[in-house]
Amino acid sequence: MSEFSLHINGQSVAGDNHFDVINPATADVLTQCPAASEAQVNAAVEAAHNAFSSWKKTSLKERQAYLEKIADKIEARKDELAKLLTQEQGKPIAQATSETGFAITRTRFAAGFTPPKHILKDDDTSYVEVVYKPLGVVAAITPWNFPLSLALGKVAMAILAGNTVVLKPSPYTPLTSLMLGEIMDEVLPPGVVNVISGTDEIGPWLTRHPAIEKYTFTGSGPTGKKIGAIAADRLKAFTLELGGNDPAIVLADVDIEETAQKIFWGAFTNSGQICIAIKRLFVHEDIFVPFVSALVKIAQSIKIGDGLDPETQMGPLNNEQQLKIVSELVEDAKAHGAKIHCGGQRIPGPGYFYEPTIVTDIKEGNRLVDEEQFGPALPVMSFKTTEEAIERANGTDFGLGASVWSGNVDEAKRVALELDSGMTWANCRGGATADAPFGGSKSSGFGREGGIWGFEELVEVQTLVVAK
Ligand code: NAD
């Protein structure tokens, strides 16, 4: 029996089955999690479908007030949520606290969001207005790297827009989403937000349900393609936030120590398991050797351990499968002659720990450069000219984020704008913010979350013409 429940139609419901959730810092079973049966997945969608007819008629002000209450409740339980997030995901508690903070920010942003009014014409002959209408039941599917902030990024704006939701977290990190379900049940009318957990088999049960009107998915490219195919077959709207292979270009005029610190944490925060982590580093040949040394020095000085220890700077990988992928990519690099400056292996003992790894003598055509490693192993490559670096940075089918670093801010901005990606940063590497569009170009995604751009993905526009 699990202490966690599914949340269907405003009720806490025991799963028909259950599965183990592993604490990645110890590899021990953290708890058992309810696994929804197909009938329970259907019940969740039907609850959302039934709730839609009255929820869509609530006023914007009412929905904003509900969202404020949700944000307050999350805030009141933020320490509990952050601790649970570290236990299920592995990230250091400071990062889990910051993710919880961002989840609250996103909820408050939605609570304060008023869609713009578009009156195209209002004269003696006619009145023309474009109005936003909710779509219906939204299937929100999230991955295991930022389960809490990604869930709120989808759910908060979806319900503000007047939709109802079925949220399905990753089987690796379902617990914070189930706790969120508990909070939603305390605040919202039954069925407006439903949360179901289970192993990967429940994904298709959810996505194939005929009452789903919109898919909002964050995860890997291969799963994104499957969801896009179902959405296309059903002619329903979809937003896909997929993987990245973000380049960072370091020009010769940077302050080496200061920039290396920022680049290091841009690559190794959350053990590199961030869609917009720096995953390919291009450093100008004039500073290549000292820059690599600076990165290695940081890698060798950080404290790695259980994220619940407040001293920990880097936790484990989230799961054994991901640890295997990272190990495989580093072994492949070694086999192809790459130089491992530090790290390069799993840390012995329990838990899914891997040493922070800096790799040189590697280039495009190697798996560690071409694929998304999603882990603490960074390939560092040198370049001669800025134009060469831009071409190589863009020479991939990924296009999520990119950054450029220079002592000359105008040059950094010029180069940043040459990079083909959804987000581009000059002398910084940002995360998502609630008000700005976030998403990928090329194969890194389809559509955006955040701000009005995210809102517009969750509504239908209707043209109203009134003859006078
Ligand atoms: P994943 O694709 O394996 O799983 C994501 C979610 O999809 C999980 O909830 C999973 O259970 C579910 N799922 C799996 N098969 C399904 C199916 N057939 N139908 C419906 N749902 C299904 O991804 P992951 O390993 O959890 O996450 C890591 C990936 O997510 C990385 O590629 C990362 O870059 C990407 N990511 C992207 C962003 C972004 O905003 N672009 C943000 C975070 C993570």
Side-chain angles (χ1 to χ4, degrees):
M1 190 63 191
S2 172
E3 63 190 292
F4 292 89
S5 312
L6 308 173
H7 293 273
I8 301 174
N9 202 26
Q11 306 281 319
S12 296
V13 179
D16 280 350
N17 302 303
H18 45 255
F19 63 100
D20 292 340
V21 176
I22 307 292
N23 179 342
T26 59
D28 290 334
V29 175
L30 176 60
T31 187
Q32 289 213 312
C33 181
S37 62
E38 189 166 5
Q40 290 178 314
V41 172
N42 291 341
V45 180
E46 277 142 33
H49 183 66
N50 293 338
F52 179 61
S53 48
S54 48
W55 183 249
K56 71 177 177 188
K57 292 193 182 124
T58 55
S59 69
L60 179 71
K61 261 203 159 59
E62 284 174 87
R63 297 198 296 275
Q64 288 173 326
Y66 278 118
L67 279 158
E68 275 299 346
K69 266 194 209 152
I70 292 168
D72 291 345
K73 293 240 178 207
I74 299 174
E75 190 125 37
R77 294 180 73 176
K78 67 179 187 324
D79 294 341
E80 199 186 344
L81 274 162
K83 184 176 174 202
L84 187 61
L85 181 55
T86 290
Q87 288 174 310
E88 68 174 354
Q89 205 283 330
K91 64 185 62 182
I93 190 70
Q95 290 172 34
T97 302
S98 140
E99 179 177 344
T100 309
F102 186 47
I104 297 165
T105 301
R106 280 184 144 165
T107 309
R108 293 213 191 281
F109 178 81
F113 185 80
T114 300
K117 223 172 155 53
H118 302 288
I119 297 169
L120 304 187
K121 194 175 170 193
D122 187 8
D123 62 16
D124 293 345
T125 58
S126 63
Y127 173 85
V128 183
E129 183 181 353
V130 179
V131 294
Y132 293 115
K133 303 191 84 171
L135 293 164
V137 181
V138 174
I141 301 175
T142 52
W144 47 258
N145 62 338
F146 283 85
L148 190 57
S149 60
L150 290 170
L152 265 319
K154 296 177 185 305
V155 173
M157 205 42 120
I159 61 174
L160 181 272
N163 303 293
T164 56
V165 177
V166 179
L167 170 65
K168 192 209 87 59
S170 163
Y172 291 116
T173 53
L175 305 177
T176 44
S177 292
L178 294 173
M179 199 179 272
L180 215 54
E182 212 177 290
I183 291 172
M184 301 279 175
D185 280 356
E186 286 166 12
V187 177
L188 292 167
V192 173
V193 174
N194 306 272
V195 187
I196 49 167
S197 51
T199 54
D200 275 347
E201 68 183 348
I202 77 168
W205 295 339
L206 173 63
T207 54
R208 292 206 190 101
H209 196 289
I212 303 294
E213 288 295 328
K214 163 83 191 185
Y215 300 89
T216 171
F217 170 79
T218 300
S220 66
T223 311
K225 277 187 193 172
K226 287 184 198 161
I227 290 171
I230 290 172
D233 188 49
R234 299 191 55 242
L235 289 178
K236 300 296 174 192
F238 61 97
T239 302
L240 302 176
E241 301 285 352
L242 308 178
N245 196 359
D246 288 14
I249 298 175
V250 180
L251 303 186
D253 60 356
V254 295
D255 177 316
I256 293 179
E257 300 298 323
E258 189 189 321
T259 310
Q261 272 291 341
K262 292 178 181 164
I263 294 277
F264 182 85
W265 289 112
F268 290 90
T269 297
N270 199 22
S271 303
Q273 302 163 116
I274 306 187
C275 54
I276 48 164
I278 294 170
K279 294 178 182 140
R280 293 176 293 148
L281 180 58
F282 297 94
V283 179
H284 192 276
E285 60 179 9
D286 288 355
I287 58 162
F288 187 79
V289 172
F291 201 91
V292 170
S293 301
L295 289 173
V296 171
K297 212 166 115 194
I298 303 166
Q300 289 173 333
S301 71
I302 64 167
K303 181 158 179 356
I304 301 166
D306 189 325
L308 287 184
D309 175 349
E311 302 284 306
T312 293
Q313 291 171 288
M314 197 176 98
L317 287 155
N318 172 257
N319 56 74
E320 187 140 38
Q321 176 61 16
Q322 194 56 38
L323 179 67
K324 209 168 136 231
I325 292 171
V326 175
S327 307
E328 213 176 277
L329 292 180
V330 173
E331 289 310 313
D332 181 76
K334 284 182 194 166
H336 288 88
K339 181 169 174 189
I340 310 295
H341 289 256
C342 58
Q345 56 194 338
R346 179 180 188 163
I347 299 175
Y352 309 132
F353 292 94
Y354 197 88
E355 292 177 341
T357 303
I358 303 289
V359 183
T360 64
D361 298 29
I362 188 165
K363 58 182 187 326
E364 293 84 352
N366 283 272
R367 290 184 61 199
L368 184 61
V369 176
D370 295 349
E371 296 178 23
E372 183 187 37
Q373 66 274 51
F374 220 57
L378 181 66
V380 192
M381 297 168 279
S382 75
F383 66 88
K384 279 186 201 308
T385 69
T386 305
E387 296 321 302
E388 175 204 336
I390 293 170
E391 195 179 320
R392 290 172 67 190
N394 286 339
T396 167
D397 206 28
F398 291 101
L400 193 55
S403 62
V404 55
W405 305 77
S406 167
N408 177 341
V409 77
D410 293 330
E411 176 64 356
K413 186 178 164 201
R414 178 192 78 80
V415 177
L417 288 169
E418 294 286 322
L419 299 172
D420 301 333
S421 55
M423 286 78 58
T424 187
W425 294 287
N427 288 340
C428 57
R429 196 207 119 264
T433 56
D435 60 344
F438 186 94
S441 62
K442 300 196 264 184
S443 295
S444 287
F446 194 88
R448 295 289 183 269
E449 286 183 345
I452 182 156
W453 301 271
F455 170 79
E456 286 187 335
E457 302 259 335
L458 291 158
V459 287
E460 189 71 80
V461 290
Q462 183 179 48
T463 309
L464 167 71
V465 181
V466 183
K468 290 189 183 169

